[in-house]
Amino acid sequence: MQKRKMRMGMIGGGLEGFIGATHRKAAFLDGHIELVCGAFSSNAQTCINTGETLYLPKERCYSSYIEMIKKESLLHKDIRMDFVSIVTPNYLHYPMAKLALEHGFHVICDKPLCFKVEEAKELEALCKKKDLIFALTHAYSSYPMVKQARKMIADNTIGKIRKIIVEYPQGWLSASLEKTKHAQAAWRMNPKTAGISCCVADIGTHCLNLLEYITALEVQYVCADLSSFGEGRLLDDDANVLLRLNKGVKGILHASQISQGEENDLNIRIYGEEGSLSWSQMRPNTLSLKKQDHITQTYSVGGAYMEDIAKYNTRLPAGHPEGLLEAFANLYRNFAFCIQDKENNQTSSKENLDFPGIKEGLRGMIFTNACVHNSNSGEKWTKL
Amino acid sequence: MQKRKMRMGMIGGGLEGFIGATHRKAAFLDGHIELVCGAFSSNAQTCINTGETLYLPKERCYSSYIEMIKKESLLHKDIRMDFVSIVTPNYLHYPMAKLALEHGFHVICDKPLCFKVEEAKELEALCKKKDLIFALTHAYSSYPMVKQARKMIADNTIGKIRKIIVEYPQGWLSASLEKTKHAQAAWRMNPKTAGISCCVADIGTHCLNLLEYITALEVQYVCADLSSFGEGRLLDDDANVLLRLNKGVKGILHASQISQGEENDLNIRIYGEEGSLSWSQMRPNTLSLKKQDHITQTYSVGGAYMEDIAKYNTRLPAGHPEGLLEAFANLYRNFAFCIQDKENNQTSSKENLDFPGIKEGLRGMIFTNACVHNSNSGEKWTKL
Amino acid sequence: MQKRKMRMGMIGGGLEGFIGATHRKAAFLDGHIELVCGAFSSNAQTCINTGETLYLPKERCYSSYIEMIKKESLLHKDIRMDFVSIVTPNYLHYPMAKLALEHGFHVICDKPLCFKVEEAKELEALCKKKDLIFALTHAYSSYPMVKQARKMIADNTIGKIRKIIVEYPQGWLSASLEKTKHAQAAWRMNPKTAGISCCVADIGTHCLNLLEYITALEVQYVCADLSSFGEGRLLDDDANVLLRLNKGVKGILHASQISQGEENDLNIRIYGEEGSLSWSQMRPNTLSLKKQDHITQTYSVGGAYMEDIAKYNTRLPAGHPEGLLEAFANLYRNFAFCIQDKENNQTSSKENLDFPGIKEGLRGMIFTNACVHNSNSGEKWTKL
Amino acid sequence: MQKRKMRMGMIGGGLEGFIGATHRKAAFLDGHIELVCGAFSSNAQTCINTGETLYLPKERCYSSYIEMIKKESLLHKDIRMDFVSIVTPNYLHYPMAKLALEHGFHVICDKPLCFKVEEAKELEALCKKKDLIFALTHAYSSYPMVKQARKMIADNTIGKIRKIIVEYPQGWLSASLEKTKHAQAAWRMNPKTAGISCCVADIGTHCLNLLEYITALEVQYVCADLSSFGEGRLLDDDANVLLRLNKGVKGILHASQISQGEENDLNIRIYGEEGSLSWSQMRPNTLSLKKQDHITQTYSVGGAYMEDIAKYNTRLPAGHPEGLLEAFANLYRNFAFCIQDKENNQTSSKENLDFPGIKEGLRGMIFTNACVHNSNSGEKWTKL
C-alpha cells in the first residue's frame, strides 16, 4: 500500500520567532510531513510573508486560526491538512486545540497543554470522541538516550530507585527582558498569556516529564520554594522543589531562568540500589552508568549495543552528533506515522505510539499548580 | 518574487545504506528542497521500494542514472529535477556528474570528487561552460563553529599561524569487515571502486578540507606513512602524515580506520603566535580559544557574540545541540539558494556561496595522490 | 631569625585507616612539620606498629591520648610536641581537644567539631584563655580555586548573589557496609560514636562550609528531607535541603552516601545578577565563570591571572594537577605558620590565618541540628 | 627491624626556581626521606637562604656540589646523606652524578640524563661497580593510571598494538622568554647548558618514556620535523615525529613549547587489535578503555577494580584527586625504599624497583640524537 505524506497546518510560528521554525524543521527532517497551510501570525502581513518564505500559496495563508480550521475543513480530503501544529503562547493552546479537534483535525501542540484541569479533560474527551491523535511537544523525552535510559530502568539495570535529581537551569531571564521589547520574555512573564507560573510551567514541566518518562514513577508530593528575582515580576523565574515519589523514592527538581550563563542544561541523575544513570541535554549522545566498585560505563548513541527503541530514534552512525531537532523530529515522525496508521486502519506500533500527549500535559499542569500552591502556603508537603 | 523549492533527483541512496538517508534529511530539513525522482539502486526492486518509502511516484523511480538524467531532461521545466545528488561509491562520481552536467543539471556530490586530476578539470570546465553549480559534501566544514573559527583566523585572532594538528580517528575497520558481507567496507577496500586509497581518500581528505578551509592555508609538502593493518588489505586503513604548508607553517595530519573504539573524532588544533583554537566534531557546538597567560575562552554556538557567518548557519538558541545533519543541511541549503538565485538571475550572497566544490575536490585528490606516492617512495617530502 | 619545624603529635590514625595517613602526608608535604609522637590506636600493638612505620621512637608511641598529652606536657619545650592532630571518630573530638588545650597544646581536628553547642563554646573559651590555635580540617575549602572563587565574589565579579546549589554525592554506603566489619561505616552509622546524623554531619557540613566560605553568606533557614535508605539504619544516609540565606539568597544543598557510583563529587554553583561561578572537587584545578551573552571563561590553577591568595596556595605551574593532599597541606601549612608566628611573637598574615576553626565547626553543628530537627518535624522552615 | 628515614642532599633547587621545591615536596610527602644538606645554588647567599627556609643548619649548606659531596663523605655514616638529588640544568647532570657515585652516594637526577652516550654508559658502569642506585625523574610514568595501563597492556587487554599517538604540547616558550631574564627559558635555549635540543630533550623524552614504559615496545625509527619558531633560536621549540616501533607498530610523537595556551597536556592513545587506551596527564585519575561496538569504560584511580600495582601507587580513596606531586612522590618513595632495602640487605620488591633509571635516560638521549639528526638530514627514516 502506497502511503502519503501527512499534511500539516501551522498556527503561530511567524518568521520573527524561533519556535515555529524549530517545529517546521523537525516536521520536515524525515520527509513524512509537508506544510500545506498556516495561520502564522495575528499580523496579516507577517502571516503572508511567512507563508511565502515557506513556498505556500497565498490562499492557504490564513489570517486567523479560526479561518484556517474552518476553511481547511471544507477542502477536499485529498488536499486539506491532516493535523494542526500549535506553536503559540500558552493561553491560546486550549481554544485552538479545541477548535481543531472539533473540526476533525489531529493536533500537535507546544507545552504546557493549557491552564485548567477541566480544559485538559475536555480535550481528552474530544480526542476520544473524535478518534483523533494529540501530541504534546515535550521534545527532550524523544532523545534516543532518554529512551535508552527508560528501557534500562524498566529492565532493572540499576535496581530499585532511591533518589532522583533533575535540573533545568537557564539564564536568559537574568535581566528583565520583559521590560524591553523582547516578545518571548513579555508573554512568558504576563499572567494573562502564561498562566500562574513562568519558570515551573515553562521548563519545570520538562523536568517533570523527563523524570516521569524515564523512571515510570510518579511525583506525589512537592515542597517548593519559588522565587521572582527579577524586579516587579508577577511570576516565578526560579524554582527549588523537594520531591516525594511513589515507591519511597525521594528527589530534587530545580528549574531556573535566572541562572546567569546557563543555556539549556536540562539534566537528570537517577540513583538505584544497584547503580545510577546520568544524562544531560547539552551532551545528549552519551549516557553514564555507574555502579559502586565498578568501572564507569558510557553509552554512545549509535552504538551496536544500544536498545532497539533507541536505535529506532537514531539517524546517524555513532560519533556523528544528533541534537534537539532530531529529538523533536522523532516526536513529529512518530505522531505522523500514527496518523498514517489510522488512515490506513492499521494499529500503530509501540515504538510509534511513544510520544507525550494529553496525559503528560495534565501531569505538568497538576505539578505546576501544586508547586505554586505549596510555595505560597506554609505547608511543607503538598499532594499532587 | 515568489520563489519555489528546488527539485532534487538522487543517484544512489537505496534504503539499505545510511548515506542516502543522511543526504535526504539534510536536504529536507529547511524545506527548500523536494525530492522528485531517483535512481536509488542498480537493483530495480530496491530502487522502487526506496522511492515508495519516499512517497515518489513509480514513474520517477528510474532503473539507472543514465535513464534518470536522460528522461528528466526531457520533462517540462516546471516538473523536472533541478539538480542531482550523487551518493554512490567513489568510482561512479565522475561519470555520473559528467552526464548530469552535460544535460544541464546542477550537481551535489559526495566526496571524493573523482580519481584523476583530468577528470576533475573536465568537470570544472563543464560547469563553467554550462553555467552550473557543483557542490562537494565535505559537510564537516559547514558546522557553525568551523565557520566561526575561519572568521576568527581571518580576523587575526590568534596571530600568524605556526602549527596545525588535524586528526580523524575511526575504528570501524579494525576488523576486516570487507571479508563479511559489509557493503560499505567492501567497496571502500576495493581499488576498483574506491581508487588508490581507502583511509586517506575517505577521511584524510576531510582533514585536509577542514584544515585548508579554516586557515586559508595550503598544504604544500607531505611526508606520509600509510599502513594496511587489516590482513590482506590492498588499500590503506591508517595514515600518519607530516605537513608543510605555505607561510612556514608546520603540521600533522593523521587519519585512521583501525583506531579501535574511536567513532568519528575529527578534530583540529591551530596554534598561532598569539593564541590557539581547537574544535572537535564530536563536541561541535563549542570552540576553545587559548592564549598564553590568559583565561581559556569557550565559545558556544548560539551565543550572542558569535560571528554573523556562524549565526547564518545556526538554527537553535544556545544550549540546544545541533549536529552533523544540521551541518550537512547548511551545505544543501546554501547550494539550493545559489540555484534559486541563478534561476532568478540574482547574485548569490557570500554566505550562500560558502560551500565546497570542485576546487576542494581537486585539492583532496592531489593530496591523496601525494600521500600514496610519498608513502611508497623513500623520499622524505613530496610536493603537492 | 632561624625558625624551626613544628612538632606534631597525632591522636588516632593507626595504620589500618586512611584518614591518619592523609593528615600526615598533608602535614609533611611542605617540610614545616615533623611528627614526634602519637597515640595512634587504642590497640597498643597497632599503636607501636604505626609508630615504627613512621620512624618514631617507642617511648613516644603512647597507649592513650591522655598519657600522651600528660607526658608530653612534662617534656622539655625543645622536644615536646607543639600541637596535636585529632583524627578519631567524631565522639572523641571534644574530650581530646579539651585535654590538649588544657595542657597548652594547639589543636588541629578532623570535622565535625563535636556534638553540642556548649562543648564548642567551651573549646572556644579555652583557646582564648590559653592563647592557642585551633584548626578544623574542612580541607576542601583550602583548594586554590576555592580561594580564587571567594576572592572573585568578594570583588563583586558576579554581582549580588541570587541562588546557590551545593552538592556532595557519595555512593560508598549504598550497601549496608556497617553490617560487615567495615570500621569506618560502623562508627559513622552508630549514634554513640557519630552523633545525631551521619550524612549531614559527615559531608553536608562540608557543603555548608564550602558555601559559606566562598560566598561569605550565612544559611539562615533550612527545609530538609533526610532519609535512611539502608535497611535498619538509625542515622541519615541522604539529605535534600532547601536553603534560605541572608540577603535574600536562595539555595539547595544535597548530600548523599547512597548515590551509587558517585565518588566525592562535592561541587558548587553560584548565580549572581551579573554572572555565575561553578567548581567541582573532582576537577579542582579549573573554575568556570559564565555571564549571559558572554564567552565562557575557564580559570586554571597556576595561571598568571590568578589572584594572589590562590597563588599562595598553589605549588606547581599550570597544567600539573594538584589534588586533595595539596589542599589539605595548605590548611596544615597555614596552621603551622600561625604557631610559628606565635612562638616568634609575630602577627600572622591574612593568608596564613585563612583556615577553618571553631567558628566554622559551630556553624556545622548548628546546621546539622537544624536539618535533623526540620526533617523530623512538620514545619517547613527551621531557623539556624 | 627498625628502619630509618633516608637522608637526602640536594644539588640545585634554590628558592627562586620551582623544580627544587617540587622534588623536595615529593621527597617529603610520605615521610620516608629527610633533607639533611644541600648545595642549592652557585650563589652562596641564595644557598644559605634556601637552607634556612628548609630548617637546615648552616654547616650543611654547602657552597658547591663538590664541597658537599666531599665533606658529606667524611661524616659519620649515622649522619651523612644517603643520596643526592640533582635538580640543576642539563649540562651539570653528568659531572655531578659522577662525583656522587664515585663517593658512594645513590643518585636521583632530573632528566635528561646527560649529553653523550659514553657518559651514560660510564654512569651505568659506576653504579654497577659501586652497587648504587640511580633514579631518573621521568615522574609522569609514576602516575597510578600509567601503571594501570602498563599492566593492562601486559595482560593483553587491547590485543596486539597497532598504533600509538603520544603528545606533549606546551605553550610557555611561544614568546622568546629567553631574551628576557627568564632563567629557565635562558638555559633551556642555550646549547651550552641544554645540549643539542630543547623541546625534544626536555619534553619529547617524556613522551618517549611514557610510550615505552606503558607498552614495553621500543621506538626503532624516527622521521622528524623539528622547528625553531622563536626568532633567533638555536634549538628546537617544536617537534613532529613519525615513529616505527618493533612488532610492526606505527606511531606519532609530537612535542611543542610554542603551542599557545597549552599547559602540560602530555597524553597518549594506544590502539590495539582488540581495544584502545587513552590517558592524559592533565586528567590523570581516569583512563579510558574503548572497544569497537562496546560501551566505553572509564577507570578511576582508587577504584576497587584497579590493579595492585596501581593501588600501591595510590594514596586516597576514589574521587579525591591526586596530582603530579603524588606521582613524583611515588618515584621518590620507591627509590628510598630500595636504598633502605639495600642497607638492610633485603631484596627490593618488583613494586619498589619500578622507577626509571639510566637505561631510560639512555633511551631518551638516543631518541633525541636520532630526531635531531633526521630532521637535519634529507633521509626519511633514521634508526635509533
Side-chain angles (χ1 to χ4, degrees), chain C residues 301-337:
Chain C
V301 166
Y305 46 76
M306 292 284 286
E307 299 286 345
D308 285 344
I309 187 67
K311 287 180 176 169
Y312 185 68
N313 289 281
T314 301
R315 287 166 185 79
L316 294 173
H320 285 132
E322 301 194 41
L324 179 63
L325 285 174
E326 286 79 5
F328 234 108
N330 288 335
L331 207 165
Y332 263 93
R333 180 201 58 183
N334 289 355
F335 172 69
F337 279 170

Side-chain angles (χ1 to χ4, degrees), chain D residues 56-229:
Chain D
L56 287 185
K58 257 190 198 129
E59 67 273 17
R60 294 182 85 177
C61 297
Y62 301 98
S63 61
S64 78
Y65 78 91
I66 298 172
E67 187 197 0
M68 180 172 102
I69 290 171
K70 297 205 164 159
K71 290 202 174 160
E72 286 285 320
S73 70
L74 301 176
L75 294 180
H76 188 278
K77 76 173 177 54
D78 289 355
I79 293 171
R80 73 164 173 254
M81 66 180 183
D82 295 298
F83 69 91
V84 298
S85 170
I86 302 175
V87 297
T88 62
N90 303 350
Y91 74 111
L92 295 167
H93 295 177
Y94 165 70
M96 289 169 168
K98 190 183 168 194
L99 196 69
L101 293 169
E102 287 171 345
H103 286 74
F105 297 110
H106 307 283
V107 172
I108 185 165
C109 182
D110 213 302
K111 32 56 54 186
L113 178 57
C114 48
F115 285 177
K116 296 185 194 156
V117 172
E118 302 76 45
E119 294 169 351
K121 299 212 160 151
E122 191 185 346
L123 296 179
E124 195 172 34
L126 258 175
C127 283
K128 195 163 287 179
K129 180 180 159 195
K130 297 272 193 172
D131 192 24
L132 293 168
I133 301 170
F134 198 104
L136 194 74
T137 55
H138 279 303
Y140 300 118
S141 303
S142 294
Y143 273 108
M145 265 313 177
V146 170
K147 293 177 187 286
Q148 173 78 16
R150 175 177 161 89
K151 182 67 168 64
M152 287 169 69
I153 283 172
D155 288 349
N156 205 31
T157 309
I158 61 168
K160 186 185 172 323
I161 295 173
R162 288 172 159 178
K163 179 173 185 171
I164 303 169
I165 299 161
V166 58
E167 310 180 323
Y168 197 154
Q170 294 181 330
W172 72 288
L173 289 172
S174 293
S176 294
L177 301 182
E178 70 275 17
K179 296 181 180 173
T180 67
K181 302 207 165 173
H182 194 295
Q184 290 197 40
W187 76 253
R188 274 189 176 78
M189 276 301 170
N190 182 345
K192 288 188 191 158
T193 46
I196 60 169
S197 161
C198 178
C199 180
V200 175
D202 197 36
I203 58 174
T205 56
H206 279 311
C207 292
L208 180 82
N209 181 256
L210 185 68
L211 181 166
E212 296 195 343
Y213 178 72
I214 290 187
T215 64
L217 293 169
E218 280 208 347
V219 173
Q220 292 185 326
Y221 295 89
V222 294
C223 171
D225 194 16
L226 274 48
S227 307
S228 299
F229 285 106

Side-chain angles (χ1 to χ4, degrees), chain A residues 154-168:
Chain A
D155 289 349
N156 206 31
T157 308
I158 61 169
K160 185 184 173 323
I161 295 173
R162 287 171 159 178
K163 179 173 184 170
I164 302 169
I165 300 162
V166 59
E167 308 180 324
Y168 197 154

